[in-house]
Amino acid sequence: MEKIKKILNKLKINDDDLKFYGNNITKIDYENYFCNKKKGKLILMTSINPTQAGEGKTTTAIGLADGLNYLKKSVILALREPSIGPVFGRKGTATGGGESEIEPMSEINLHFTGDIHAISTANNLVSATIDSEIYWNSKLNFDSNRIVWKRCLDLNDRALRNMEIQISKNVSRKEEFTITAASNMMTILSLSKSEEDLRDRINDSLIAYDKNGEPIFLKSLEITGSLMVLLKDAIKPNFVLTKNDTPALVHCGPFANIATGTNSIISTNLALNLADYCIVESGFGSDLGFEKYMNIINNENDLIPDCVVMVITLRALNLHKDFENNFTHLEQHLKHVRLYNLNLVVAINFINGDSEKQLIALQDWLTKNNYEWELNEAYNKGPIGAVNLANRVIENSNRQFKFKTLINSQDSIKEKIKKIVNNFYYLNEINYTENAENSISQINLSKYKEYPICMVKSSNSIDGNDFNQKNYKLIIDKVIVNSGARFILVFTNNVMSMPGLNKNPNSKIIDLVNKKVCGLK
């Protein structure tokens, strides 16, 4: 605790604004530290489409932060909270690895400070209240077939995707669970900028329609006060340290394939106000996390990255057959960053056992095509292994650039979708189901038509064609307004918002041995 307090005092955080959870984790009462001083440099981490084990994006982000800290730079990481679903599923933990890790690893990956449990409880209180209102035949006159708000659980459980719940002897309705990381309450909290903003977003959330087809908003349930009480600590960023004593904020964890894919705006703003460099990670590949960062998180052009770091591994390049196809897949991802005229550095996350011959081929291609790159060796070597990458990022983040937008709020819903599909998925044809067409027509008549688009797409391939179908078509099958998060969800090709467990999940190898957690990976 003394070590973490010393670093917090160096950041000029008062002890009265801290709430400790053991010796290594504390929450920060953030409001006193937002000011009008010049903000720090924002470094955004992204990657190509990852392997099942990921690209080491978090590991690289931690290594880069450690490298900047080693160079005596003022830096704070701002990372997402891990979801227990992937921890016990296939993807595993989200705290880095090797010499590039945030601590305490097991606590962060499991219950941490209880934020995700608080978010799940708040989200499900809304659902429980809706069903109670239906049970008591309240004046809100709910149409039980048009409930928008879904329950959630922080586990992979395919059995909860579609179900029927019994509200009373005579009333039942269909229900869908989402994983908490894709829930309405997670995105609402992640995108809130203050307590007041959180309250407004909760009140404005569309939860259902009545029997006359009129929208019902969450404020009508009269439980906003209770929701604020449940979230009173969850809204505060969590502060921890890396293995090498670099400050890190770990807060909120929406998935990028079915939500926004980055940490909370509050933690990003706090880091930007406290340090000269803030390192933020966007989820999955640049076709998802980076796109959503630029078009949703940065919707008001107030969080423009000073430098984007594209993390790649030889294993992912081999997965996409890039060494055979002249790095076509990699170049598509690099073009995503160029769409916005942003500074760009490629970080090669070289893993023991990778081919030196392929590494040289990759480096030659990047140099020949004028892409700046550096090796990240922090996994094995610690901060010193990321010094070259850190210096390259410092140089690039201080370089002038002329930011260019891709999507305007005045664009129609279909124009926004088209720009994303054309520029990020490299597809020209978009197919809409009748259900999607009807939803878009309704939204076009509402005040929500100017909201940004949040695409729901597979993370395995750039266009969503995971199985290389010959006559593949991108199908928009569902369009939903999330008025609390203030975006429009666009579902493609039946992507699920509740994952299922794989055949041999990590939960089969995790154990408690001599009071220590083992098997987390």
Side-chain angles (χ1 to χ4, degrees):
M1 188 180 288
E2 290 308 312
K3 182 200 291 184
I4 203 169
K5 274 189 174 182
K6 184 178 179 181
I7 291 172
L8 284 161
N9 289 336
K10 189 177 179 181
L11 292 169
K12 299 181 179 178
I13 304 289
N14 297 323
D15 288 355
D16 291 345
D17 294 317
L18 304 176
K19 181 178 180 180
F20 272 88
Y21 291 69
N23 292 328
N24 306 312
I25 303 167
T26 185
K27 278 190 169 290
I28 298 177
D29 201 345
Y30 60 92
E31 291 177 321
N32 295 329
Y33 304 98
F34 286 177
C35 57
N36 296 319
K37 75 171 188 178
K38 185 179 181 297
K39 288 188 173 181
K41 299 289 185 182
L42 179 60
I43 315 301
L44 178 61
M45 313 293 294
T46 187
S47 75
I48 64 175
N49 292 107
T51 63
Q52 290 182 356
E55 284 307 270
K57 203 166 51 251
T58 305
T59 303
T60 304
I62 296 167
L64 173 58
D66 282 339
L68 288 166
N69 194 27
Y70 180 83
L71 293 171
K72 307 300 182 186
K73 301 298 181 182
S74 168
V75 58
I76 297 180
L77 273 165
L79 301 177
R80 296 174 293 165
E81 285 187 54
S83 164
I84 285 179
V87 169
F88 286 98
R90 171 185 287 163
K91 199 163 172 54
T93 63
T95 46
E99 295 303 310
S100 298
E101 198 169 75
I102 48 175
E103 296 180 330
M105 188 268 269
S106 59
E107 283 88 339
I108 294 170
N109 281 290
L110 297 174
H111 304 287
F112 203 19
T113 55
D115 290 353
I116 290 183
H117 298 304
I119 292 166
S120 300
T121 304
N123 190 92
N124 292 340
L125 175 58
V126 178
S127 292
T129 306
I130 290 170
D131 289 332
S132 177
E133 294 284 321
I134 295 172
Y135 178 86
W136 292 108
N137 295 313
S138 82
K139 62 182 180 181
L140 295 176
N141 200 26
F142 278 91
D143 181 345
S144 59
N145 294 313
R146 298 191 69 190
I147 308 299
V148 175
W149 193 275
K150 307 299 180 188
R151 284 175 164 85
C152 70
L153 185 72
D154 191 34
L155 280 177
N156 296 1
D157 192 344
R158 60 173 52 84
L160 297 179
R161 286 173 179 167
N162 294 289
M163 57 193 306
E164 189 166 301
I165 58 174
Q166 195 79 25
I167 298 172
S168 67
K169 281 186 178 180
N170 302 318
V171 180
S172 62
R173 71 174 181 90
K174 292 182 179 179
E175 176 65 293
E176 300 172 26
F177 272 72
T178 67
I179 192 166
T180 301
S183 67
N184 283 3
M185 198 60 77
M186 175 63 83
T187 50
I188 287 169
L189 184 61
S190 299
L191 293 170
S192 296
K193 297 181 178 179
S194 63
E195 262 190 32
E196 182 182 4
D197 188 31
L198 174 61
R199 186 182 290 271
D200 289 343
R201 287 172 180 270
I202 288 173
N203 280 329
D204 292 343
S205 292
L206 176 66
I207 57 171
Y209 292 89
D210 67 19
K211 291 175 181 176
N212 297 316
E214 295 298 316
I216 301 174
F217 297 94
L218 207 157
K219 61 185 174 185
S220 302
L221 297 179
E222 300 178 335
I223 60 169
T224 301
S226 291
L227 296 173
M228 294 298 294
V229 168
L230 285 170
L231 298 171
K232 69 180 179 63
D233 290 323
I235 194 174
K236 299 173 183 177
N238 307 297
F239 185 91
V240 293
L241 300 176
T242 72
K243 187 181 284 188
N244 296 286
D245 295 340
T246 302
L249 296 168
V250 183
H251 194 222
C252 292
F255 288 165
N257 58 337
I258 39 185
T260 49
T262 193
N263 57 290
S264 72
I265 286 181
I266 286 174
S267 63
T268 297
N269 282 332
L270 180 60
L272 286 168
N273 275 273
L274 293 176
D276 294 333
Y277 294 91
C278 166
I279 299 174
V280 173
E281 175 193 347
S282 60
F284 291 117
S286 69
D287 55 309
L288 287 168
F290 172 77
E291 182 270 306
K292 292 176 180 182
Y293 196 97
M294 298 310 302
N295 298 322
I296 301 176
I297 306 297
N298 186 48
N299 184 46
E300 298 175 4
N301 294 334
D302 56 346
L303 287 172
I304 299 169
D306 294 282
C307 180
V308 177
V309 178
M310 177 78 69
V311 181
I312 59 176
T313 62
L314 302 189
R315 297 178 188 193
L317 292 173
N318 280 305
L319 176 69
H320 299 291
K321 297 179 168 54
D322 250 22
F323 288 100
E324 303 165 27
N325 296 318
N326 197 30
F327 300 102
T328 300
H329 183 81
L330 171 57
E331 188 163 36
Q332 287 179 324
H333 282 281
L334 295 171
K335 284 180 178 177
H336 293 163
V337 182
R338 295 299 192 208
L339 286 170
Y340 300 88
N341 286 343
L342 297 170
N343 295 322
L344 171 64
V345 173
V346 175
I348 304 171
N349 191 23
F350 192 70
I351 301 168
N352 288 341
D354 284 347
S355 165
E356 294 280 353
K357 184 178 178 181
Q358 286 188 335
L359 175 62
I360 292 169
L362 170 62
Q363 292 168 330
D364 287 346
W365 183 88
L366 289 168
T367 301
K368 180 181 175 182
N369 289 278
N370 299 314
Y371 291 110
E372 296 190 48
W373 59 269
E374 289 292 346
L375 278 180
N376 170 41
E377 299 181 277
Y379 182 94
N380 291 319
K381 299 180 180 179
I384 193 116
V387 164
N388 290 340
L389 177 61
N391 279 320
R392 182 78 71 168
V393 167
I394 292 168
E395 178 187 347
N396 272 264
S397 64
N398 286 290
R399 192 175 291 166
Q400 293 295 314
F401 63 96
K402 192 172 182 180
F403 176 67
K404 182 173 70 172
T405 57
L406 177 68
I407 296 173
N408 301 309
S409 60
Q410 293 77 23
D411 292 337
S412 71
I413 293 170
K414 284 194 170 182
E415 284 173 336
K416 291 172 185 172
I417 294 171
K418 186 175 187 297
K419 285 183 177 180
I420 294 170
V421 171
N422 291 170
N423 291 285
F424 282 88
Y425 310 160
Y426 301 99
L427 295 172
N428 294 316
E429 184 181 352
I430 307 171
N431 300 275
Y432 293 88
T433 64
E434 183 179 354
N435 178 45
E437 290 279 12
N438 291 337
S439 296
I440 291 171
S441 296
Q442 290 178 350
I443 298 168
N444 278 332
L445 298 175
S446 73
K447 62 182 180 180
Y448 307 123
K449 62 184 178 182
E450 293 189 357
Y451 277 1
I453 300 298
C454 184
M455 299 293 288
V456 179
K457 183 187 76 73
S458 165
S459 60
N460 297 323
S461 58
I462 207 162
D463 58 5
N465 186 10
D466 294 351
F467 303 104
N468 296 316
Q469 299 172 25
K470 286 186 177 179
N471 298 311
Y472 171 75
K473 292 181 179 180
L474 184 78
I475 299 172
I476 308 295
D477 47 36
K478 189 164 57 173
V479 180
I480 302 172
V481 170
N482 184 332
S483 59
R486 298 172 191 163
F487 57 60
I488 299 168
L489 274 163
V490 177
F491 288 78
T492 68
N493 298 74
N494 297 309
V495 172
M496 303 287 185
S497 57
M498 169 58 84
L501 285 171
N502 51 304
K503 189 175 181 180
N504 293 298
N506 294 331
S507 54
K508 292 180 180 287
I509 60 172
I510 294 170
D511 200 353
L512 189 67
V513 180
N514 297 324
K515 298 185 179 181
K516 289 187 178 181
V517 177
C518 301
L520 291 177
K521 63 177 183 178

